[in-house]
Amino acid sequence: MADVLILGTVALDNIETPFGKADNAMGGSASYAAMAASFFCRPAILSVVGEDYPKEHLKLLESRNIDISLIKKEGKSFRWEGYYEFDMNEAKTRKTELNSLEGFKVNIPENYKDVEHVFLANIDPELQLSALKQLKKPEFIVLDTMNLWINIKKKELLEVIGKADILLLNDGEARMLFNTTNLVTAANKALALGPKGVIIKKGEHGALLFMDGRHFSAPGYPLENTKDPTGCGDSFGGGLIGHLAKTRDFSEPNIRKAIVYGSAIASHNAEDFSVNRLKNITMKEIEKRYNEMKEIREF
Ligand code: AMP
């Protein structure tokens, strides 16, 4: 069994940014998250792809020590088409084709029911709830989502937030979900639902953690070469849960470290389209950026 179970999408993306475009590119919340987590431990992906999903994409995941045996194959692959304008912090969705995701039912095999660490990456909150119902007693659950689910499945999303240890939201989603312009208010409203901590991601400007009555502000890494921010949120979450699963320390000081690892990986991810950067970076490069982040926030 793997160290972390990641439920999310494995997709084909069409992406356009001010710096170029990529068609039929490997994407999906679980793909990015698992690639990022694989720097720390062995992840497994729980998802579905179509019969048309390129074998080389699945092989790449496998080559990163990711367990892909829980990825079902049926119908046509989930597709997402998005673009960014000059503010690269906000992805605009052109088209979402659910395809095989539409009839997807979560079915966790017996040997995975006592997995200890879970990342509920961005996917329908009903599927996230179904996964949690089937798992015995995971030690640590991190949850992510997106504006689409806030719009169409808010009730289910609020229910799954109540079962998570850490909730990840970007700033726009936090304002939208809790109907406030103030991020501190949004974080407090999120904590009132039950999670131990809330992380508000602020794109290139870093991330905020609210936990144990404390507040941590992680810097964004000052990147000059940003090509495609797709998957930055997912790789942030993957790096975070990967570090936590490796260290098995869920204390607030260690979550701060996990955030900085997540940010370091996400900043690398933005340097190229799709998973092209994630497949080439080394742990040494991640550590280097992690250490630079320490210097950035010292005063
Ligand atoms: P991020 O940039 O981290 O928010 O995630 C981008 C990835 O999310 C892309 O690779 C998409 O394939 C995937 N994605 C887009 N829409 C959805 C959705 N509704 N549910 C799950 N994953 C999605």
Side-chain angles (χ1 to χ4, degrees):
M1 189 172 55
D3 304 304
V4 185
L5 182 65
I6 299 177
L7 169 67
T9 51
V10 176
L12 289 174
D13 288 347
N14 287 350
I15 306 159
E16 200 177 331
T17 82
F19 304 99
K21 56 194 285 203
D23 285 334
N24 295 315
M26 179 172 168
S29 55
S31 313
Y32 282 105
M35 293 275 288
S38 72
F39 288 101
F40 304 93
C41 61
R42 175 163 160 82
I45 294 180
L46 178 59
S47 193
V48 63
V49 292
E51 310 281 355
D52 55 345
Y53 203 71
K55 283 197 183 60
E56 64 267 24
H57 294 351
L58 295 173
K59 276 205 185 119
L60 170 67
L61 294 171
E62 231 176 350
S63 73
R64 302 301 305 248
N65 194 28
I66 297 165
D67 181 358
I68 60 162
S69 67
L70 309 187
I71 304 181
K72 261 203 214 164
K73 259 194 181 171
E74 60 191 18
K76 277 173 70 183
S77 295
F78 170 77
R79 282 181 173 272
W80 178 73
E81 194 170 321
Y83 67 99
Y84 301 82
E85 288 168 339
F86 270 95
D87 177 3
M88 300 246 285
N89 276 323
E90 199 196 344
K92 305 229 167 79
T93 297
R94 248 189 212 128
K95 202 159 65 175
T96 304
E97 287 178 31
L98 292 178
N99 297 329
S100 59
L101 201 62
E102 207 151 10
F104 177 53
K105 299 258 179 304
V106 169
N107 194 354
I108 300 180
E110 227 26 69
N111 64 332
Y112 260 97
K113 291 203 168 150
D114 43 18
V115 70
E116 286 178 275
H117 313 106
V118 181
F119 182 31
L120 302 172
N122 176 25
I123 200 165
D124 184 335
E126 278 190 63
L127 296 173
Q128 296 175 325
L129 280 172
S130 167
L132 291 187
K133 279 197 188 113
Q134 294 173 47
L135 292 170
K136 286 189 184 145
K137 209 179 171 298
E139 186 159 359
F140 207 78
I141 302 165
V142 176
L143 169 69
D144 195 10
T145 192
M146 75 180 289
N147 50 9
L148 173 72
W149 310 119
I150 298 174
N151 279 328
I152 67 172
K153 297 228 174 149
K154 189 166 171 177
K155 184 174 144 279
E156 293 82 355
L157 178 61
L158 293 174
E159 190 182 339
V160 70
I161 290 174
K163 297 177 192 296
D165 293 294
I166 294 281
L167 168 66
L168 308 179
L169 286 172
N170 68 34
D171 46 357
E173 292 160 359
R175 291 189 180 101
M176 187 176 159
L177 180 58
F178 297 107
N179 203 15
T180 170
T181 53
N182 187 293
L183 292 181
V184 180
T185 305
N188 286 332
K189 286 190 173 182
L191 289 171
L193 295 172
K196 298 189 182 94
V198 178
I199 296 171
I200 299 185
K201 299 170 285 178
K202 300 181 73 186
E204 62 183 316
H205 306 301
L208 304 172
L209 166 71
F210 298 86
M211 186 173 176
D212 292 350
R214 299 180 70 198
H215 161 222
F216 170 62
S217 169
Y221 185 83
L223 263 192
E224 219 180 339
N225 167 33
T226 308
K227 277 195 186 151
D228 172 23
T230 307
C232 281
D234 311 313
S235 43
F236 172 89
L240 175 106
I241 189 86
H243 173 76
L244 294 177
K246 178 184 168 190
T247 54
R248 296 170 158 268
D249 170 357
F250 310 105
S251 65
E252 192 262 355
N254 198 43
I255 289 177
R256 291 182 180 218
K257 290 182 184 161
I259 288 175
V260 179
Y261 274 119
S263 305
I265 297 178
S267 70
H268 277 295
N269 175 64
E271 290 169 338
D272 206 345
F273 279 84
S274 182
V275 294
N276 292 337
R277 189 73 185 106
L278 286 188
K279 66 184 183 198
N280 291 321
I281 46 171
T282 60
M283 195 60 207
K284 207 168 154 203
E285 286 173 290
I286 296 169
E287 292 288 2
K288 182 166 177 273
R289 222 164 251 193
Y290 176 91
N291 288 323
E292 281 178 72
M293 303 267 247
K294 265 191 204 153
E295 278 167 35
I296 291 173
R297 61 186 303 278
E298 205 168 27
F299 62 90

